[in-house]
Amino acid sequence: MKKLSAIFVVLVVLLSLPMVASVQQRHGIDYSKPLYAEDVKIGHKITVDYIPKAGGFRGGRGGGTSTTTAATGILGAPVEGEKYAIVIGIADYPGTSSDLQYTDDDAQLVYDTLINVYGFKPENIIFLLNMDASFYNIYNAVMELKSKVQPGDEVVFYFSGHGSTGRADDGDDEVIDEAIVTHDGNPDGSFILIWDGQLRAWFEDFPTDRIIFIFDSCYSGGMTDLAAEGRIVVMASGEREFSLESAEWEHGQFTYYFFLEGINYGYADVYDHDGDPSTPDVTVEEAFDYTLANCEQQTPVIADGFTNDLLP
């Protein structure tokens, strides 16, 4: 990716994009609009034919490649209110050179899992696929939830697509920032990004402190700007690593192990929290441990500010 001589030509189109109702400004930065950045590098998620399994554990401790675990086995406070989510998957980027195969399938899997496994109401999920996952649609989705969520509610923010790095004017002290790549862009590969410090500003003063962020994208291990007490940030790869997808999984590798095998198949269910071994009750931390033990060529990362283990 060249420097922003190519990328930020796209900013010209902003004049024709719709304005949103709410504008957030901190330290002279208008976070409700795309931000200026330099040295931008798009991390194209890699589509591979086959990756050997890591031989991780299924439904029990040990046997995996991971030597550390996030799950404590102690169930944290249950959700007291409503459950809300923003689920984003972008496979069909402008042009053809940046297209992915399974990221929209990832989002569909997450949408179904939230409803069928964790009891989210469909009307409480904002589902943005491909061209609907524009910068302003994502921003407006966050602002919509911010206006309706109450203390004690739970929020899940999930993204599967390309990630990016660069030096962005997003209000934090990082030399290199990380971002998610929205659908807005041009066939030449220039895109509009949402930076980690920008997302942090969007979720600032959110009405609830029970928020789960999940990123299946390249360089996502650097999205820790969102970490805070009561929040969990789950990231598919290290901050300088690529993420993988494959026909072998028909999903991104991370989402396959975290949501399909870990949660839906119950392979991550190490601790029986509900006293019924016939029904899986997989916490975020259990799903992460299983995914970390099974992923190859990428290293999932977690920043866990929730007390004990969170069952969505």
Side-chain angles (χ1 to χ4, degrees):
M1 195 67 189
K2 295 181 179 179
K3 291 190 177 182
L4 285 223
S5 57
I7 290 178
F8 281 89
V9 169
V10 74
L11 290 179
V12 175
V13 270
L14 297 182
L15 296 175
S16 62
L17 293 175
M19 294 298 293
V20 293
S22 176
V23 174
Q24 296 182 343
Q25 289 190 337
R26 302 284 190 279
H27 311 295
I29 302 172
D30 186 351
Y31 288 107
S32 69
K33 297 179 180 179
L35 301 179
Y36 176 76
E38 297 179 341
D39 300 326
V40 171
K41 178 181 179 181
I42 303 297
H44 291 267
K45 184 180 284 190
I46 300 173
T47 303
V48 296
D49 293 328
Y50 174 73
I51 291 292
K53 291 184 180 293
F57 66 88
R58 293 188 173 187
R61 303 181 193 180
T65 60
S66 170
T67 58
T68 61
T69 57
T72 66
I74 303 171
L75 198 59
V79 60
E80 297 176 353
E82 290 283 343
K83 300 176 182 180
Y84 297 92
I86 299 170
V87 177
I88 305 163
I90 310 175
D92 184 16
Y93 281 92
T96 58
S97 62
S98 297
D99 285 351
L100 292 164
Q101 298 298 314
Y102 303 107
T103 41
D104 47 0
D105 296 312
D106 289 345
Q108 185 67 58
L109 172 62
V110 173
Y111 177 85
D112 293 340
T113 301
L114 293 178
I115 293 171
N116 298 327
V117 178
Y118 294 118
F120 281 63
K121 299 175 183 176
E123 60 268 26
N124 285 350
I125 302 177
I126 300 175
F127 193 34
L128 301 174
L129 288 181
N130 296 315
M131 66 183 301
D132 289 331
S134 67
F135 177 94
Y136 283 114
N137 281 351
I138 297 171
Y139 173 74
N140 286 334
V142 176
M143 294 303 108
E144 178 182 337
L145 290 196
K146 193 170 187 177
S147 69
K148 68 171 58 172
V149 167
Q150 302 295 319
D153 291 346
E154 179 175 281
V155 173
V156 172
F157 182 96
Y158 172 89
F159 174 84
S160 184
H162 290 309
S164 180
T165 63
R167 295 188 293 115
D169 184 17
D170 65 350
D172 63 24
D173 296 327
E174 290 182 301
V175 175
I176 301 297
D177 296 283
E178 288 74 34
I180 57 176
V181 181
T182 74
H183 183 272
D184 301 309
N186 294 317
D188 66 2
S190 57
F191 294 102
I192 294 178
L193 314 175
I194 301 175
W195 296 93
D196 48 0
Q198 191 167 28
L199 268 179
R200 180 183 63 184
W202 291 2
F203 280 92
E204 192 174 51
D205 301 326
F206 225 73
T208 182
D209 60 0
R210 188 184 178 100
I211 306 178
I212 306 162
F213 298 95
I214 304 174
F215 300 97
D216 191 345
S217 53
C218 299
Y219 311 142
S220 54
M223 300 297 287
T224 51
D225 276 16
L226 292 158
E229 184 177 352
R231 297 181 177 184
I232 301 178
V233 186
V234 184
M235 300 152 277
S237 59
E239 62 181 332
R240 297 297 174 264
E241 287 183 341
F242 292 100
S243 293
L244 307 180
E245 64 170 12
S246 173
E248 181 80 7
W249 309 300
E250 297 184 338
H251 289 286
Q253 179 178 212
F254 168 86
T255 295
Y256 174 83
Y257 286 118
F258 193 97
F259 282 96
L260 188 60
E261 285 201 356
I263 295 174
N264 283 274
Y265 295 171
Y267 294 162
D269 194 18
V270 175
Y271 302 101
D272 183 20
H273 299 292
D274 62 6
D276 184 357
S278 66
T279 59
D281 50 357
V282 179
T283 65
V284 173
E285 290 83 359
E286 285 179 305
F288 174 80
D289 289 345
Y290 178 79
T291 305
L292 179 62
N294 282 279
C295 275
E296 284 279 2
Q297 300 186 24
Q298 67 186 83
T299 308
V301 180
I302 190 170
D304 194 345
F306 188 80
T307 302
N308 297 319
D309 298 347
L310 190 150
L311 184 64

